[in-house]
Amino acid sequence: MSFSDAVSPDEPGPYELLSWYAEMGVTEALDEEPHDHFSASAPPPAQRPFATLAGRAPGGAPPPASRPIAAAATAPDDATLTARALAREAHTLDELRAALATFEGCALKATAKNLVFADGNPEGRVMMVGEAPGADEDRLGLPFVGRSGQLLDRMLAAIGLTRKDDVYIANLLPWRPPGNRTPTPQEVAICLPFIQRQIELANPEILVCIGGPSAQGLLGFKGILASRGKWVEYDTGSRRIRAMATLHPAYLLRQPLQKRLVWRDLRALKTALEAET
């Protein structure tokens, strides 16, 4: 049975649809009555603990130095240089995770609940890199555990792979962007040294980039539909390995007919693994 047959393209039920909206960051519903939100009066300053003029707290005192948004104050170029140094100093995946936990150069860390480092088998033959954590991933601290992750597991099972034994999974960014928005180029540039080092330390046989941002950030692809399924070489820093891009499971949940394209990519992946055995 193929992945196309195993995954039903039926329309999602109401609960699944609401879950997907929540995962995408849609937190407010519209009712039948129009509301002029601009006419609503703002709360008085006493009710806004950090309401400021020129960035100062009530009473004229500067905001506390311990506020988490202080991470955003790091200049982007300085943050990228720091990331490169920390990544290079990490000689194991555990050391790299510890370095990320102390890194304050990416503002996404201030709004995320958890660092989402990796899941699966670090010694697996395949490493898959997605875009960034979603709501479920941020809550649990693991990549691809929501509806997209469940679909990814079924995709892997269709070619005889499991994340427990065969696949190591990570993301381009280890922190969730607010509302599941697409990461900015600046955020990608700051976090890129860490995922590049993670790939080098995991040392997989094959790299699979899941979704457009991952394919562009790591492989230089533009336009995931045009570039998916194409084999290229990726330089890990210590050797060159085979790499390809495929569509993100979240996209397939919205566009079920495109599963046929991913099935081709999965068969190509399985053929490549069998050829290397």
Side-chain angles (χ1 to χ4, degrees), residues 94-121:
D94 287 339
E95 289 180 5
L96 185 64
R97 183 188 183 111
L100 262 171
T102 63
F103 182 62
E104 298 293 337
C106 181
L108 293 179
K109 183 178 182 180
T111 57
K113 291 183 177 68
N114 283 302
L115 167 69
V116 180
F117 185 68
D119 193 22
N121 183 3

mmCIF file of all heavy atoms in Angstrom, residues 94-121:
data_model
loop_
_atom_site.group_PDB
_atom_site.id
_atom_site.type_symbol
_atom_site.label_atom_id
_atom_site.label_comp_id
_atom_site.label_asym_id
_atom_site.label_seq_id
_atom_site.Cartn_x
_atom_site.Cartn_y
_atom_site.Cartn_z
ATOM 1 N N ASP A 94 24.978 16.910 22.475
ATOM 2 C CA ASP A 94 24.591 17.378 23.807
ATOM 3 C C ASP A 94 25.209 18.743 24.102
ATOM 4 O O ASP A 94 24.558 19.623 24.684
ATOM 5 C CB ASP A 94 25.012 16.372 24.878
ATOM 6 C CG ASP A 94 24.146 15.123 24.872
ATOM 7 O OD1 ASP A 94 23.011 15.189 24.335
ATOM 8 O OD2 ASP A 94 24.596 14.078 25.387
ATOM 9 N N GLU A 95 26.461 18.911 23.713
ATOM 10 C CA GLU A 95 27.112 20.204 23.915
ATOM 11 C C GLU A 95 26.452 21.284 23.060
ATOM 12 O O GLU A 95 26.316 22.437 23.493
ATOM 13 C CB GLU A 95 28.603 20.103 23.572
ATOM 14 C CG GLU A 95 29.415 19.310 24.579
ATOM 15 C CD GLU A 95 30.889 19.237 24.201
ATOM 16 O OE1 GLU A 95 31.283 19.897 23.191
ATOM 17 O OE2 GLU A 95 31.650 18.544 24.895
ATOM 18 N N LEU A 96 26.027 20.921 21.873
ATOM 19 C CA LEU A 96 25.368 21.887 20.996
ATOM 20 C C LEU A 96 24.021 22.303 21.588
ATOM 21 O O LEU A 96 23.659 23.487 21.552
ATOM 22 C CB LEU A 96 25.174 21.285 19.607
ATOM 23 C CG LEU A 96 24.595 22.232 18.548
ATOM 24 C CD1 LEU A 96 25.555 23.387 18.271
ATOM 25 C CD2 LEU A 96 24.299 21.475 17.262
ATOM 26 N N ARG A 97 23.291 21.348 22.112
ATOM 27 C CA ARG A 97 22.009 21.683 22.751
ATOM 28 C C ARG A 97 22.235 22.618 23.934
ATOM 29 O O ARG A 97 21.471 23.582 24.131
ATOM 30 C CB ARG A 97 21.318 20.403 23.208
ATOM 31 C CG ARG A 97 19.944 20.656 23.822
ATOM 32 C CD ARG A 97 19.357 19.405 24.439
ATOM 33 N NE ARG A 97 18.024 19.671 24.954
ATOM 34 C CZ ARG A 97 16.896 19.195 24.446
ATOM 35 N NH1 ARG A 97 16.948 18.398 23.396
ATOM 36 N NH2 ARG A 97 15.728 19.484 24.966
ATOM 37 N N ALA A 98 23.249 22.338 24.733
ATOM 38 C CA ALA A 98 23.554 23.188 25.882
ATOM 39 C C ALA A 98 23.942 24.598 25.429
ATOM 40 O O ALA A 98 23.559 25.592 26.055
ATOM 41 C CB ALA A 98 24.669 22.560 26.718
ATOM 42 N N ALA A 99 24.675 24.697 24.331
ATOM 43 C CA ALA A 99 25.069 26.009 23.806
ATOM 44 C C ALA A 99 23.843 26.795 23.351
ATOM 45 O O ALA A 99 23.727 27.997 23.598
ATOM 46 C CB ALA A 99 26.049 25.830 22.649
ATOM 47 N N LEU A 100 22.913 26.123 22.700
ATOM 48 C CA LEU A 100 21.681 26.786 22.260
ATOM 49 C C LEU A 100 20.866 27.277 23.455
ATOM 50 O O LEU A 100 20.253 28.354 23.408
ATOM 51 C CB LEU A 100 20.838 25.818 21.428
ATOM 52 C CG LEU A 100 20.952 25.930 19.910
ATOM 53 C CD1 LEU A 100 20.221 24.767 19.244
ATOM 54 C CD2 LEU A 100 20.392 27.254 19.431
ATOM 55 N N ALA A 101 20.859 26.506 24.518
ATOM 56 C CA ALA A 101 20.080 26.869 25.701
ATOM 57 C C ALA A 101 20.596 28.153 26.344
ATOM 58 O O ALA A 101 19.828 28.884 26.981
ATOM 59 C CB ALA A 101 20.091 25.728 26.718
ATOM 60 N N THR A 102 21.878 28.448 26.175
ATOM 61 C CA THR A 102 22.459 29.652 26.773
ATOM 62 C C THR A 102 22.498 30.825 25.792
ATOM 63 O O THR A 102 22.777 31.944 26.194
ATOM 64 C CB THR A 102 23.894 29.379 27.258
ATOM 65 O OG1 THR A 102 24.737 29.042 26.127
ATOM 66 C CG2 THR A 102 23.923 28.226 28.259
ATOM 67 N N PHE A 103 22.211 30.567 24.524
ATOM 68 C CA PHE A 103 22.317 31.599 23.488
ATOM 69 C C PHE A 103 21.189 32.620 23.640
ATOM 70 O O PHE A 103 20.017 32.252 23.731
ATOM 71 C CB PHE A 103 22.260 30.946 22.106
ATOM 72 C CG PHE A 103 22.403 31.905 20.959
ATOM 73 C CD1 PHE A 103 23.556 32.645 20.789
ATOM 74 C CD2 PHE A 103 21.368 32.061 20.035
ATOM 75 C CE1 PHE A 103 23.689 33.517 19.720
ATOM 76 C CE2 PHE A 103 21.498 32.928 18.963
ATOM 77 C CZ PHE A 103 22.659 33.658 18.805
ATOM 78 N N GLU A 104 21.534 33.913 23.651
ATOM 79 C CA GLU A 104 20.537 34.971 23.837
ATOM 80 C C GLU A 104 20.439 35.890 22.616
ATOM 81 O O GLU A 104 19.878 36.974 22.705
ATOM 82 C CB GLU A 104 20.894 35.810 25.073
ATOM 83 C CG GLU A 104 20.910 35.042 26.374
ATOM 84 C CD GLU A 104 19.520 34.552 26.787
ATOM 85 O OE1 GLU A 104 18.523 35.144 26.327
ATOM 86 O OE2 GLU A 104 19.438 33.568 27.549
ATOM 87 N N GLY A 105 20.968 35.460 21.496
ATOM 88 C CA GLY A 105 21.032 36.341 20.334
ATOM 89 C C GLY A 105 19.811 36.349 19.447
ATOM 90 O O GLY A 105 19.708 37.180 18.544
ATOM 91 N N CYS A 106 18.872 35.414 19.669
ATOM 92 C CA CYS A 106 17.668 35.345 18.832
ATOM 93 C C CYS A 106 16.450 35.749 19.663
ATOM 94 O O CYS A 106 16.169 35.141 20.694
ATOM 95 C CB CYS A 106 17.481 33.942 18.261
ATOM 96 S SG CYS A 106 16.030 33.785 17.192
ATOM 97 N N ALA A 107 15.716 36.752 19.176
ATOM 98 C CA ALA A 107 14.567 37.266 19.926
ATOM 99 C C ALA A 107 13.450 36.240 20.057
ATOM 100 O O ALA A 107 12.600 36.363 20.944
ATOM 101 C CB ALA A 107 14.035 38.529 19.255
ATOM 102 N N LEU A 108 13.409 35.232 19.204
ATOM 103 C CA LEU A 108 12.349 34.219 19.283
ATOM 104 C C LEU A 108 12.391 33.469 20.610
ATOM 105 O O LEU A 108 11.369 32.965 21.071
ATOM 106 C CB LEU A 108 12.480 33.222 18.129
ATOM 107 C CG LEU A 108 12.233 33.761 16.719
ATOM 108 C CD1 LEU A 108 12.431 32.659 15.693
ATOM 109 C CD2 LEU A 108 10.827 34.344 16.609
ATOM 110 N N LYS A 109 13.550 33.397 21.207
ATOM 111 C CA LYS A 109 13.681 32.678 22.479
ATOM 112 C C LYS A 109 12.807 33.309 23.560
ATOM 113 O O LYS A 109 12.294 32.617 24.437
ATOM 114 C CB LYS A 109 15.154 32.669 22.917
ATOM 115 C CG LYS A 109 15.413 31.892 24.202
ATOM 116 C CD LYS A 109 16.901 31.893 24.537
ATOM 117 C CE LYS A 109 17.173 31.084 25.797
ATOM 118 N NZ LYS A 109 18.619 31.075 26.146
ATOM 119 N N ALA A 110 12.602 34.637 23.477
ATOM 120 C CA ALA A 110 11.847 35.343 24.501
ATOM 121 C C ALA A 110 10.365 35.019 24.468
ATOM 122 O O ALA A 110 9.674 35.110 25.483
ATOM 123 C CB ALA A 110 12.046 36.853 24.351
ATOM 124 N N THR A 111 9.844 34.645 23.300
ATOM 125 C CA THR A 111 8.411 34.375 23.175
ATOM 126 C C THR A 111 8.083 32.887 23.142
ATOM 127 O O THR A 111 6.911 32.518 23.213
ATOM 128 C CB THR A 111 7.861 35.036 21.900
ATOM 129 O OG1 THR A 111 8.592 34.566 20.762
ATOM 130 C CG2 THR A 111 7.986 36.549 21.982
ATOM 131 N N ALA A 112 9.086 32.042 23.017
ATOM 132 C CA ALA A 112 8.858 30.593 22.957
ATOM 133 C C ALA A 112 8.804 29.995 24.362
ATOM 134 O O ALA A 112 9.420 30.511 25.295
ATOM 135 C CB ALA A 112 9.957 29.923 22.148
ATOM 136 N N LYS A 113 8.070 28.907 24.497
ATOM 137 C CA LYS A 113 7.999 28.204 25.779
ATOM 138 C C LYS A 113 9.210 27.299 25.984
ATOM 139 O O LYS A 113 9.730 27.188 27.086
ATOM 140 C CB LYS A 113 6.722 27.352 25.853
ATOM 141 C CG LYS A 113 5.424 28.137 25.934
ATOM 142 C CD LYS A 113 4.251 27.182 26.067
ATOM 143 C CE LYS A 113 2.928 27.935 26.237
ATOM 144 N NZ LYS A 113 2.571 28.659 24.983
ATOM 145 N N ASN A 114 9.645 26.620 24.924
ATOM 146 C CA ASN A 114 10.708 25.629 25.048
ATOM 147 C C ASN A 114 11.674 25.698 23.872
ATOM 148 O O ASN A 114 11.306 26.110 22.761
ATOM 149 C CB ASN A 114 10.116 24.208 25.100
ATOM 150 C CG ASN A 114 9.524 23.863 26.455
ATOM 151 O OD1 ASN A 114 10.211 23.907 27.464
ATOM 152 N ND2 ASN A 114 8.247 23.534 26.464
ATOM 153 N N LEU A 115 12.885 25.281 24.127
ATOM 154 C CA LEU A 115 13.846 25.013 23.068
ATOM 155 C C LEU A 115 13.480 23.682 22.430
ATOM 156 O O LEU A 115 13.323 22.681 23.123
ATOM 157 C CB LEU A 115 15.260 24.943 23.647
ATOM 158 C CG LEU A 115 16.358 24.370 22.740
ATOM 159 C CD1 LEU A 115 16.648 25.322 21.589
ATOM 160 C CD2 LEU A 115 17.630 24.095 23.548
ATOM 161 N N VAL A 116 13.325 23.666 21.125
ATOM 162 C CA VAL A 116 12.988 22.429 20.396
ATOM 163 C C VAL A 116 14.231 22.025 19.611
ATOM 164 O O VAL A 116 14.506 22.581 18.544
ATOM 165 C CB VAL A 116 11.775 22.642 19.470
ATOM 166 C CG1 VAL A 116 11.442 21.355 18.735
ATOM 167 C CG2 VAL A 116 10.573 23.122 20.272
ATOM 168 N N PHE A 117 14.963 21.071 20.146
ATOM 169 C CA PHE A 117 16.265 20.725 19.565
ATOM 170 C C PHE A 117 16.165 19.612 18.532
ATOM 171 O O PHE A 117 16.537 19.793 17.364
ATOM 172 C CB PHE A 117 17.241 20.340 20.671
ATOM 173 C CG PHE A 117 18.641 20.081 20.184
ATOM 174 C CD1 PHE A 117 19.425 21.107 19.691
ATOM 175 C CD2 PHE A 117 19.176 18.786 20.231
ATOM 176 C CE1 PHE A 117 20.720 20.860 19.225
ATOM 177 C CE2 PHE A 117 20.467 18.546 19.779
ATOM 178 C CZ PHE A 117 21.237 19.575 19.278
ATOM 179 N N ALA A 118 15.678 18.446 18.919
ATOM 180 C CA ALA A 118 15.660 17.317 17.982
ATOM 181 C C ALA A 118 14.829 16.177 18.548
ATOM 182 O O ALA A 118 14.452 16.167 19.719
ATOM 183 C CB ALA A 118 17.082 16.834 17.694
ATOM 184 N N ASP A 119 14.572 15.205 17.690
ATOM 185 C CA ASP A 119 13.901 13.969 18.082
ATOM 186 C C ASP A 119 14.376 12.867 17.149
ATOM 187 O O ASP A 119 14.968 13.140 16.098
ATOM 188 C CB ASP A 119 12.373 14.124 17.999
ATOM 189 C CG ASP A 119 11.637 12.980 18.693
ATOM 190 O OD1 ASP A 119 12.244 12.326 19.565
ATOM 191 O OD2 ASP A 119 10.463 12.737 18.356
ATOM 192 N N GLY A 120 14.116 11.637 17.517
ATOM 193 C CA GLY A 120 14.524 10.525 16.673
ATOM 194 C C GLY A 120 15.880 9.969 17.059
ATOM 195 O O GLY A 120 16.380 10.184 18.168
ATOM 196 N N ASN A 121 16.496 9.278 16.122
ATOM 197 C CA ASN A 121 17.767 8.598 16.355
ATOM 198 C C ASN A 121 18.926 9.426 15.800
ATOM 199 O O ASN A 121 19.048 9.580 14.585
ATOM 200 C CB ASN A 121 17.741 7.223 15.669
ATOM 201 C CG ASN A 121 18.998 6.417 15.924
ATOM 202 O OD1 ASN A 121 19.884 6.844 16.661
ATOM 203 N ND2 ASN A 121 19.087 5.241 15.314
#
